[in-house]
């Protein structure tokens, strides 16, 4: 395979080649039998683009707006966890790339799954940023992080509502994956704990409305 990716699938293969097995499987895998993961891929395969021909394409504009914020293309970075497992710069590098592409970075950073906290990511430069939020039983946890994000310029909240019961990630169990304390929860957990213990911690303090 060439050293540079030429399509989306190539990025996955390049990641598999350079990342430790358990880290790659953390990013590439899903829960239980990974049925939902397979269905998501199949859903994208069913999308068909209808080409338009014999029209003026000398000035193509793919820009659009999300909640009133203009972006260069209808593409956003969805919330995802622990970028620092793949690269020491983690979400900081992702944030810089999103700013350069003039798109919205919507990272899963408010709960326990981001390597860096909201302030560190905001410090990478000007960009439109949304904040993914879990609503904890202890409302002060969520409210405190939201207020911190607001102070450093986050523009909207992306509410996660599907986490009262989390999927059982079998590859992570087999690999005995160990994850560090997430950036926004430092001070709430002071030790390095296993992925399953982090899940139990989340369940103990969180219940989505």
């Amino acid at each position: 395979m060439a050293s540079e990716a030429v399509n989306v699938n190539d990025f996955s293969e390049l990641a598999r080649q350079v990342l430790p097995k358990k880290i790659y499987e953390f990013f590439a895998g899903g829960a239980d039998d990974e049925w939902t993961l397979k269905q998501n891929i199949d859903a994208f395969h069913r999308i068909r683009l209808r080409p338009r021909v014999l029209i003026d394409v000398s000035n193509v504009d793919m820009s659009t707006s999300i909640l009133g914020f203009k972006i260069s293309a209808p593409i956003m970075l969805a919330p995802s966890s622990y970028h620092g497992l793949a690269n020491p710069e983690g979400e900081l590098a992702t944030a810089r790339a999103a700013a350069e592409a003039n798109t919205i970075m919507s990272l899963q950073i408010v709960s326990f799954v981001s390597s860096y906290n909201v302030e560190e990511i905001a410090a990478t430069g000007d960009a439109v940023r949304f904040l993914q939020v879990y609503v904890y039983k202890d409302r002060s946890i969520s409210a405190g992080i939201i207020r911190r994000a607001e102070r450093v310029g986050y523009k909207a909240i992306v509410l996660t509502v599907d986490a009262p019961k989390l999927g059982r990630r079998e590859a992570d169990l087999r690999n005995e994956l160990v994850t560090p304390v997430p950036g926004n929860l430092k001070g709430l957990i002071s030790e390095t704990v296993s992925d399953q213990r982090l899940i139990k911690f989340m369940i103990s303090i969180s219940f989505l409305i």
Side-chain angles (χ1 to χ4, degrees):
M1 177 179 169
S3 59
E4 288 192 24
V6 297
N7 62 37
V8 172
N9 292 328
D10 286 351
F11 284 104
S12 178
E13 175 58 23
L14 288 173
R16 188 190 63 78
Q17 292 175 17
V18 300
L19 293 175
K21 176 178 179 291
K22 64 182 178 181
I23 301 301
Y24 173 76
E25 291 184 351
F26 170 74
F27 287 117
D32 298 303
D33 293 332
E34 298 186 340
W35 178 251
T36 300
L37 177 62
K38 296 181 179 70
Q39 290 297 300
N40 288 340
I41 295 171
D42 289 343
F44 275 102
H45 288 166
R46 290 193 295 270
I47 295 174
R48 296 291 182 267
L49 300 179
R50 186 176 65 182
R52 300 175 65 191
V53 298
L54 298 178
I55 60 172
D56 183 8
V57 294
S58 59
N59 185 23
V60 176
D61 183 7
M62 295 180 61
S63 65
T64 187
S65 63
I66 304 293
L67 300 181
F69 299 101
K70 187 173 182 178
I71 57 177
S72 59
I75 301 170
M76 294 189 294
L77 301 181
S80 56
S81 59
Y82 283 125
H83 294 194
L85 292 177
N87 184 283
E89 290 194 280
E91 291 86 358
L92 306 183
T94 310
R96 289 194 295 269
E100 290 177 8
N102 186 28
T103 190
I104 290 177
M105 186 180 189
S106 173
L107 281 173
Q108 193 170 353
I109 60 178
V110 77
S111 63
F112 64 98
V113 288
S114 179
S115 303
Y116 291 88
N117 63 37
V118 290
E119 292 87 356
E120 291 169 320
I121 294 171
T124 60
D126 293 334
V128 176
R129 295 191 177 92
F130 293 176
L131 183 65
Q132 184 267 350
V133 174
Y134 292 107
V135 178
Y136 294 109
K137 286 181 178 179
D138 182 349
R139 298 296 195 260
S140 65
I141 296 175
S142 299
I145 298 174
I146 291 171
R147 283 193 292 267
R148 286 166 52 194
E150 185 179 19
R151 284 196 294 269
V152 293
Y154 286 70
K155 302 301 185 184
I157 290 172
V158 179
L159 182 64
T160 292
V161 297
D162 64 349
K165 178 64 177 177
L166 298 179
R168 188 169 180 268
R169 295 176 59 91
E170 295 177 0
D172 295 344
L173 292 172
R174 294 189 185 98
N175 292 326
E176 298 183 346
L177 180 69
V178 174
T179 50
V181 175
N184 286 313
L185 288 184
K186 286 180 179 176
L188 296 176
I189 314 176
S190 60
E191 59 181 321
T192 298
V193 294
S194 73
D195 191 63
Q196 288 303 300
R197 286 179 63 193
L198 272 176
I199 289 173
K200 290 177 182 177
F201 171 80
M202 178 188 173
I203 292 173
S204 71
I205 65 172
S206 67
F207 181 82
L208 303 184
I209 296 176

